[in-house]
Amino acid sequence: MSTCTEVFIVYKILERKEIAMRNVWFKVHAPHVVKMLQPGQFVIVRAFENGERIPLTPVMWDKEEGWIGLIVFTRGKTTMQMNTELKEGDYFLNIAGPLGNPAPMRKYGKILAIGLYTGIVEVFPIAKAWQEIGNKVHTLQVTFEPMIILKDELEKAVSKHTAVGVPIDSEKSFPENMKNVTARAREVVRAMIKELKPDLVFMVGPVGDQKAIFKVVKEFNVPMLVDLHPIMVDGTGMCGACRVTVGGKVRFACVDGPTFNAYEVDFDELIKRSGYYRDLEMRAMQEYMQKLQGGAQ
Amino acid sequence: MMTKRKLIKNRVPTPERPAYERIKSFEEVNLGYDFDLALMEAERCLQCPEDYAPCIKGCPVNINIPGFLAKLKEHRDNPYLAVKEALRIIWACNSLPAITGRVCPQEDQCEGVCVMGKIGDAINIGKLERFIADYAREKGIDDELLMEIIPKIENKEQKIAVVGAGPAGLTCAAELAKMGYNVTVFEALHYPGGVLVYGIPEFRLPKEIVKKELKKLELLGVEIKTDHIVGRTVTIPELIEEYDAVFISTGAGTPKLPEVPGINLNGIYSANEFLTRVNLMKAYKFPEYDTPIKVGKKTIVIGAGNTAMDAARTALRLGSEVTIAYRRGEEDMTARIEEIEHAKEEGVKFMFFVNPIEFIGDEEGNVKAVKFMKMKPLDEKDSRGKRKIVPTGETITVEADTVVIAIGQVPNKIIWKTTPGLKVAENGTIVVDEKLMTSIPGVFAGGDAIRGEATVILAMGDGRKAAKAIHEYLQLRDKFISPNEKS
């Protein structure tokens, strides 16, 4: 009689490296996840016993070696704790996936694929795959100067890659600085659409920026896809936390998305939904930072 | 000569935590019988003969109820032995009595048809079942019984995949493991148990009990793979290749939401989201646990089933005033009587004959009120035997800063979207034959995945039935296929 138990799949961290400000690269052993993983799909990660389940998009992976690469951006308590505490040789508790539908793999022609901040992580595998099937892909990352990532990798993978780094003005608050990034992104996108005349624009980034960029794209009447990332709990279609209105219908981003036609998305509703827990998120982060400081004394 | 016994019409009550105390905590409400109280209650049983006893027929898995109650009386001087023998009888039909004793709608099943119920109170079968399971767990009797079974198991070669670690899947896995099969359970979430862990709150079903049941499966050699979303991580066609049979028990996990304006306002939760945040992710312990939940001052729960009661009583414990709004009348509520009573005792208010037609929000997109259409009943009954209802044309608007939608669930579509050849009904339930086999040979299904939404006990019944059917199927298959033909 075997005394086989609950199988703990070992999500060992094979590599951990801070690749840019607030951006940490984790190469993680996850053979069952990688088997069917396709560009556009995401995973749900739980890193700590008391932790949340958070959606993350693998940036690259190796099916034979059975690992996925995650770039985690410090944006709240959970991601801060991951980026602070997890070291090489440690383990993630759970990684479930792949989840969501793969990105549509069609020949569109010329594609402008935009990633704001760490949104470029999600753009990377999709842009690479689009290029491989014969599209001419131009990628763009707009972010703060010290947060530019994946530059070399994208230059190799697509027709052309542009990285725009906005300097951080230390006199101004972070939200003020973020407005500069949005403004810069709008400028650059406008110029690029004029120059490139793309057949499709694809964009990943904070939902407020998705709305801002969509407004620019709409002026030129270019088809646009967005990957949406609302708040999720299970990521399997069970809870409906991630519901969005697309084309007047309620859709679950986790099972119906994450890719949607930007022209049909109710961005204003999604912006409000994404901010619902902001006060509690801030509280959790402040308490964690206090704990970190207390521990350092 | 038989001594004449006096009939005791009234139930021996079970101790409960007082309402004022329990609304502040997630600890279990009902404290259950001890041996003496259980024995007193068992004494009330008339011991109907096995071939007649209505309770056995009323039980979806046909537990020999008079049989296990007789064991308590027979060994009254030796509680340990009494419970062990009673548990042995229950286990012949139900491997999870600590759970069913707590969550079965006994008033519609065994207790509903109890002969004593015609004279006085029905025997409190649910609480007696629970007592036996709890006592056995505390004293290690269940482990002892399991250890008697395990060495007798003859190991078989065949491998079986079970999809979904809820009540149906866990029961099927346990039964197959007892027959000696190699069983692997695939679970999408990070913890097994399905609705028992994400849905049913701690105050109704302590998670320690589910943990203990999982431990039993471990002893039986069942392997549970969490983080596996079948249809995404691995598909049913792949499982068919690798395993000799497959049992699909993926439940009904997709929440139904009313298609009315404002449904996406902040503060409107599906019951699944609300309960998952609190139960599975322990949001009630935020910020010790990272997952947050927001519950305002006034919560409206829409629906009147067990899930609605669970959500209402959870919101209450998180500090909100709670009203349950139901489109039908009081007598039509589908929740267990005990849950409705507990909700009332704890201060949950009720509105009947109201149906939401709009959710009204503020500028920030947060819900602030619910607009209802007032309904009225007709004399005519619908197919489920409930009075039909029609709108009156009159509306009522009620303030609320939190709304929980508990109007039911439908099966998740991931499975059938990724399984060519799997026959599915219009409502999303998987079509099965009388042996619970689907349109794909060797693939069986049960629980809410075939029923839409039903109860834990019916799911467990399906799990047991499917285990038997899988066993028969494999025996038959292997009789006709010579070993060299098998891959």
Side-chain angles (χ1 to χ4, degrees):
Chain A
M1 192 76 224
S2 75
T3 49
C4 203
T5 114
E6 193 178 330
V7 180
F8 286 105
I9 302 149
V10 181
Y11 306 103
K12 191 174 180 177
I13 299 168
L14 308 168
E15 258 177 50
R16 184 238 180 244
K17 205 165 113 197
E18 195 160 340
I19 54 165
M21 182 185 168
R22 287 168 72 179
N23 282 275
V24 178
W25 153 264
F26 293 100
K27 180 174 160 182
V28 194
H29 179 71
H32 72 290
V33 172
V34 86
K35 226 175 65 199
M36 289 177 66
L37 180 60
Q38 292 176 65
Q41 292 186 297
F42 63 93
V43 296
I44 291 268
V45 174
R46 200 172 71 106
F48 305 100
E49 206 41 70
N50 296 3
E52 283 182 283
R53 292 168 62 92
I54 59 165
L56 290 173
T57 303
V59 61
M60 49 190 88
W61 52 86
D62 190 309
K63 295 204 181 208
E64 261 146 50
E65 293 176 14
W67 57 264
I68 57 170
L70 301 169
I71 294 175
V72 180
F73 176 68
T74 304
R75 94 180 65 226
K77 190 251 171 175
T78 301
T79 45
M80 181 181 278
Q81 192 180 3
M82 281 162 75
N83 286 353
T84 310
E85 294 179 18
L86 294 176
K87 305 282 176 250
E88 218 163 271
D90 287 349
Y91 303 90
F92 281 94
L93 285 182
N94 303 91
I95 300 181
L99 292 160
N101 297 301
M105 278 302 132
R106 277 182 224 133
K107 279 185 103 169
Y108 295 97
K110 279 184 288 182
I111 301 173
L112 173 60
I114 310 157
L116 251 65
Y117 308 100
T118 310
I120 199 70
V121 165
E122 192 164 338
V123 168
F124 178 75
I126 299 171
K128 188 167 172 262
W130 273 337
Q131 182 80 23
E132 277 163 7
I133 60 165
N135 291 289
K136 190 167 175 282
V137 184
H138 193 144
T139 50
L140 165 71
Q141 184 190 20
V142 186
T143 185
F144 293 117
E145 221 159 28
M147 293 187 191
I148 290 175
I149 51 170
L150 296 168
K151 201 164 167 276
D152 298 343
E153 290 83 353
L154 274 160
E155 276 168 5
K156 269 184 237 153
V158 297
S159 296
K160 194 175 176 213
H161 175 63
T162 309
V164 177
V166 178
I168 301 175
D169 183 346
S170 54
E171 300 286 300
K172 285 185 183 159
S173 70
F174 205 70
E176 286 293 317
N177 270 293
M178 287 179 76
K179 280 184 190 159
N180 292 343
V181 174
T182 309
R184 193 66 208 283
R186 287 169 56 99
E187 258 169 51
V188 179
V189 169
R190 190 184 300 275
M192 280 179 129
I193 292 176
K194 280 182 187 161
E195 189 204 312
L196 196 71
K197 298 193 171 53
D199 301 294
L200 176 77
V201 175
F202 172 64
M203 191 212 161
V204 188
V207 61
D209 289 317
Q210 284 182 316
K211 184 189 166 190
I213 298 297
F214 168 65
K215 276 189 179 162
V216 175
V217 176
K218 202 178 158 193
E219 286 171 29
F220 297 90
N221 231 340
V222 182
M224 180 173 176
L225 296 175
V226 282
D227 269 16
L228 299 181
H229 288 288
I231 295 168
M232 290 186 187
V233 181
D234 65 286
T236 65
M238 204 186 86
C239 80
C242 68
R243 57 192 196 272
V244 289
T245 302
V246 181
K249 285 203 174 93
V250 175
R251 311 293 295 272
F252 289 7
C254 68
V255 288
D256 300 319
T259 311
F260 292 101
N261 179 355
Y263 287 80
E264 292 183 347
V265 173
D266 184 340
F267 286 109
D268 290 328
E269 179 187 273
L270 186 54
I271 290 168
K272 286 173 186 164
R273 285 187 69 77
S274 300
Y276 187 49
Y277 292 100
R278 194 151 292 145
D279 52 339
L280 293 178
E281 284 162 7
M282 287 301 290
R283 195 179 135 203
M285 188 141 109
Q286 277 161 2
E287 286 192 21
Y288 179 66
M289 284 165 84
Q290 271 166 13
K291 206 178 111 192
L292 280 185
Q293 280 160 0
Q297 276 166 6
Chain B
M1 207 183 97
M2 290 263 291
T3 45
K4 232 182 168 186
R5 264 192 314 124
K6 200 179 153 230
L7 287 177
I8 304 162
K9 286 188 183 171
N10 297 326
R11 274 185 175 187
V12 177
T14 43
E16 282 180 359
R17 230 175 272 283
Y20 66 86
E21 185 187 305
R22 67 194 195 223
I23 56 167
K24 292 181 204 123
S25 103
F26 277 81
E27 277 172 69
E28 192 169 18
V29 166
N30 192 296
L31 301 170
Y33 287 133
D34 60 15
F35 185 79
D36 292 338
L37 292 175
L39 188 62
M40 271 168 72
E41 181 63 14
E43 294 278 18
R44 295 178 57 237
C45 174
L46 299 173
Q47 294 298 144
C48 300
E50 214 183 305
D51 53 358
Y52 161 74
C55 56
I56 302 180
K57 295 193 185 84
C59 171
V61 296
N62 309 114
I63 298 173
N64 180 357
I65 294 158
F68 84 72
L69 294 182
K71 290 293 174 192
L72 286 186
K73 298 183 237 181
E74 190 184 328
H75 302 290
R76 64 176 65 236
D77 300 325
N78 184 347
Y80 190 92
L81 184 63
V83 168
K84 188 174 173 184
E85 293 312 309
L87 187 66
R88 199 191 296 275
I89 291 174
I90 295 174
W91 270 14
C93 308
N94 174 14
S95 46
L96 304 165
I99 294 169
T100 51
R102 286 172 165 86
V103 304
C104 264
Q106 288 93 1
E107 66 267 18
D108 301 328
Q109 301 172 359
C110 53
E111 294 176 17
V113 290
C114 173
V115 176
M116 270 305 287
K118 299 192 174 74
I119 312 161
D121 294 338
I123 305 299
N124 199 343
I125 299 166
K127 292 294 181 296
L128 286 165
E129 183 188 31
R130 169 184 157 172
F131 161 73
I132 286 160
D134 287 357
Y135 189 91
R137 188 176 63 251
E138 280 153 28
K139 307 280 180 194
I141 297 169
D142 51 353
D143 287 340
E144 194 186 306
L145 208 54
L146 199 63
M147 286 311 164
E148 285 177 20
I149 298 169
I150 288 173
K152 292 182 198 148
I153 297 173
E154 281 176 45
N155 285 332
K156 294 188 174 61
E157 293 268 299
Q158 291 101 323
K159 289 160 65 188
I160 292 148
V162 171
V163 183
L170 294 179
T171 306
C172 186
E175 293 310 311
L176 287 166
K178 283 185 205 159
M179 293 180 211
Y181 290 101
N182 300 294
V183 187
T184 304
V185 184
F186 294 86
E187 168 58 42
L189 291 174
H190 60 267
Y191 196 82
V195 71
L196 306 174
V197 297
Y198 76 73
I200 303 175
E202 182 75 17
F203 55 81
R204 200 148 79 80
L205 177 64
K207 299 301 159 260
E208 274 306 307
I209 290 166
V210 182
K211 220 181 212 175
K212 180 70 204 240
E213 297 303 337
L214 293 169
K215 191 88 192 149
K216 270 197 238 158
L217 285 185
E218 191 181 313
L219 291 172
L220 285 166
V222 172
E223 179 181 271
I224 301 180
K225 289 188 175 182
T226 52
D227 300 336
H228 277 68
I229 303 101
V230 172
R232 290 281 190 214
T233 313
V234 56
T235 61
I236 299 281
E238 281 177 292
L239 293 180
I240 296 170
E241 282 288 306
E242 205 187 322
Y243 293 84
D244 295 275
V246 178
F247 178 59
I248 303 175
S249 49
T250 43
T254 304
K256 280 195 235 169
L257 297 169
E259 288 178 29
V260 299
I263 186 69
N264 284 0
L265 287 167
N266 285 327
I268 303 181
Y269 294 92
S270 74
N272 265 4
E273 182 187 351
F274 190 77
L275 293 170
T276 299
R277 280 179 184 272
V278 177
N279 298 330
L280 182 70
M281 305 310 294
K282 302 207 165 41
Y284 66 95
K285 293 185 182 169
F286 180 89
E288 182 194 339
Y289 283 75
D290 288 348
T291 305
I293 189 146
K294 276 193 178 180
V295 179
K297 290 195 176 70
K298 287 189 172 179
T299 299
I300 290 183
V301 177
I302 294 172
N306 287 317
T307 310
M309 300 303 146
D310 286 347
R313 297 170 65 201
T314 297
L316 203 74
R317 282 161 175 75
L318 295 169
S320 185
E321 244 179 61
V322 184
T323 305
I324 283 183
Y326 186 39
R327 63 193 170 116
R328 297 177 186 272
E330 182 159 11
E331 62 284 9
D332 296 315
M333 289 198 284
T334 52
R336 297 172 78 220
I337 288 173
E338 189 183 359
E339 309 314 325
I340 296 171
E341 277 171 5
H342 280 159
K344 283 183 182 167
E345 285 165 17
E346 290 169 10
V348 172
K349 291 178 207 128
F350 291 80
M351 283 171 74
F352 296 105
F353 297 111
V354 285
N355 201 19
I357 51 169
E358 191 187 345
F359 299 101
I360 301 160
D362 62 17
E363 305 81 64
E364 281 163 36
N366 301 328
V367 68
K368 63 174 187 187
V370 185
K371 190 175 178 186
F372 291 100
M373 171 63 69
K374 287 192 179 174
M375 310 297 285
K376 68 172 181 208
L378 301 175
D379 289 335
E380 209 182 324
K381 294 206 169 160
D382 68 10
S383 57
R384 290 187 299 169
K386 290 181 176 178
R387 282 180 299 169
K388 281 190 178 168
I389 45 168
V390 288
T392 59
E394 200 185 327
T395 64
I396 176 173
T397 302
V398 185
E399 258 180 61
D401 43 13
T402 303
V403 175
V404 183
I405 311 283
I407 58 168
Q409 272 103 239
V410 292
N412 197 316
K413 53 191 173 188
I414 293 182
I415 288 279
W416 55 261
K417 266 182 139 182
T418 54
T419 312
L422 186 71
K423 210 169 146 196
V424 175
E426 222 167 274
N427 62 3
T429 54
I430 298 169
V431 178
V432 290
D433 65 15
E434 69 282 0
K435 296 261 183 198
L436 299 182
M437 185 142 86
T438 66
S439 53
I440 304 173
V443 178
F444 297 75
D448 281 2
I450 64 165
R451 297 173 180 274
E453 37 183 347
T455 57
V456 167
I457 186 69
L458 286 171
M460 289 179 182
D462 286 350
R464 180 173 289 266
K465 192 173 159 192
K468 223 176 129 206
I470 288 169
H471 176 62
E472 284 167 13
Y473 164 82
L474 290 178
Q475 279 189 320
L476 205 64
R477 187 195 72 171
D478 294 350
K479 207 188 271 178
F480 291 105
I481 305 173
S482 68
N484 354 335
E485 275 178 74
K486 278 191 279 178
S487 52

